[in-house]
Amino acid sequence: MVAPHLGRHPDDDDEMNTATHTAATAGVDTAGAGMAQTVYLNGAFTPLEEARVPVLDRGFIFGDGIYEVVPAYARRPFRWPQHLERLKRSLAAVGIGNPLDDAGWTRLVTELIARHEWADQFVYLQVTRGVARRDHAFPQGVAPTVFAMTSPLVPPAAELVAQGVAAITLPDERWLHCDIKSTSLLGNVLARQAAVQAGAAECVMFRDGFLTEGSASNIWVARGERLYGPPKDNLVLTGIRYGLIEELCERTGIALQLRRILREEVQVADELLLSSATKEVLPITTLDGRPVGSGRPGPVFAKLHAAYQQAKAG
């Protein structure tokens, strides 16, 4: 048995009971937990350290699953309907049957949050194709594995908001279905590690000379009072922040255009921003060791950040 697949990602005849592994030894981050964490696994709530899935779960063997990350502020899931719709789209895209109806997913998330005392949390949901003998083809008659956990959500540090973060550029070498929120995230993991080794917070990736996204965030380009983002297609994960940024731009009077963005446009941007469920929106103030624009957070970021905080407050 192994811990639930928390990665962003043997012989064919291995038996299901040939190994043991616990969440504690799997590198699960329980920092800031201050309490016993409870997780959900296949219909039951259980202590994190006791959660197990068979080693032949396809999420463990193949990374054959999808996931969703839902922030909750003041114990209220933020933009939950949008997260739920994306979860269902991802399941449909990879042909995994949806194991719960909308009400069931909502009850799961609500109860998981209620079982932990943190005011702000982020809920991780994962569904794999289930447990079966190792074979690339989809197994028949196998129930999906459903796993969920929640952790304390710490907002970006004030100094990051005030000073911005560093990023590096990288070629986008991932697969061509980045619109699916798949647990097969080795490409993202390698990109993020390259950024870490360069002392950067994120990478800005390009495919065929055009901007795609970061390893774990969407990337935005500002020129003057206009904001630009890559189009919604298979080359980027259309983050929930995409819709939110569109709404915030309309609210703050920032003109937004989604289109192909050349690498050269990124290099001469007045501002670069990143957005994600846990990072909210942050300014990128250095790229490949060079300042972006003035090298300080700019007016477009300031407007969007303030509007984001208002949206969180409801």
Side-chain angles (χ1 to χ4, degrees):
M1 306 291 277
V2 299
H5 173 77
L6 306 181
R8 295 297 194 221
H9 316 321
D11 294 333
D12 288 354
D13 292 330
D14 279 352
E15 294 294 332
M16 294 183 188
N17 61 353
T18 55
T20 62
H21 199 44
T22 67
T25 59
V28 176
D29 180 12
T30 57
M35 72 169 82
Q37 282 184 271
T38 297
V39 303
Y40 174 95
L41 181 61
N42 292 334
F45 290 92
T46 186
L48 172 62
E49 62 273 13
E50 296 178 12
R52 304 284 191 278
V53 293
V55 295
L56 289 187
D57 190 280
R58 289 176 63 93
F60 178 66
I61 295 293
F62 292 118
D64 184 4
I66 63 89
Y67 74 103
E68 190 63 42
V69 177
V70 185
Y73 301 106
R75 311 182 67 78
R76 297 191 305 272
F78 185 59
R79 298 180 77 82
W80 167 239
Q82 292 90 338
H83 282 283
L84 178 57
E85 287 305 311
R86 187 172 65 181
L87 174 69
K88 293 191 293 186
R89 287 198 303 272
S90 293
L91 286 168
V94 300
I96 296 177
N98 190 344
L100 298 172
D101 59 18
D102 288 5
W105 282 114
T106 300
R107 283 194 300 270
L108 190 165
V109 170
T110 301
E111 182 166 353
L112 195 58
I113 291 171
R115 285 171 176 260
H116 298 83
E117 63 187 23
W118 311 302
D120 297 341
Q121 306 179 28
F122 66 95
V123 178
Y124 178 88
L125 305 171
Q126 177 174 295
V127 183
T128 77
R129 203 175 301 278
V131 180
R133 295 286 183 176
R134 188 182 184 279
D135 185 355
H136 285 70
F138 295 176
Q140 300 300 310
V142 172
T145 297
V146 182
F147 172 72
M149 67 176 181
T150 188
S151 303
L153 176 58
V154 180
E159 57 266 29
L160 299 183
V161 175
Q163 300 173 13
V165 300
I168 62 170
T169 58
L170 287 176
D172 190 342
E173 298 176 333
R174 303 169 301 161
W175 72 328
L176 294 177
H177 290 287
C178 298
D179 53 319
I180 300 172
K181 204 164 177 67
S182 164
T183 59
S184 302
L185 286 171
L186 185 57
N188 301 68
V189 168
L190 293 175
R192 180 61 177 275
Q193 184 60 26
V196 168
Q197 291 175 340
E202 181 58 291
C203 61
V204 177
M205 293 190 288
F206 298 88
R207 194 188 295 267
D208 300 326
F210 293 96
L211 173 67
T212 53
E213 57 189 351
S215 66
S217 60
N218 294 122
I219 304 295
W220 308 89
V221 178
R223 292 298 302 272
E225 288 292 312
R226 299 184 66 88
L227 188 68
Y228 302 90
K232 301 175 184 179
D233 60 18
N234 63 298
L235 300 181
V236 301
L237 177 67
T238 305
I240 305 303
R241 272 18 65 183
Y242 247 73
L244 177 58
I245 293 294
E246 288 176 314
E247 294 175 17
L248 298 183
C249 281
E250 183 175 355
R251 189 179 306 170
T252 56
I254 298 171
L256 173 65
Q257 184 180 8
L258 303 183
R259 62 169 175 80
R260 296 274 179 233
I261 301 170
L262 288 165
R263 184 188 188 101
E264 292 76 13
E265 294 180 88
V266 174
Q267 292 172 329
V268 298
D270 293 329
E271 300 178 53
L272 292 179
L273 315 178
L274 63 82
S275 63
S276 75
T278 55
K279 297 184 183 74
E280 301 180 358
V281 58
L282 283 175
I284 297 172
T285 49
T286 63
L287 185 65
D288 290 334
R290 299 179 178 180
V292 175
S294 67
R296 302 287 298 174
V300 172
F301 165 72
K303 288 183 179 180
L304 290 177
H305 182 262
Y308 198 109
Q309 304 315 303
Q310 292 174 354
K312 284 169 49 180

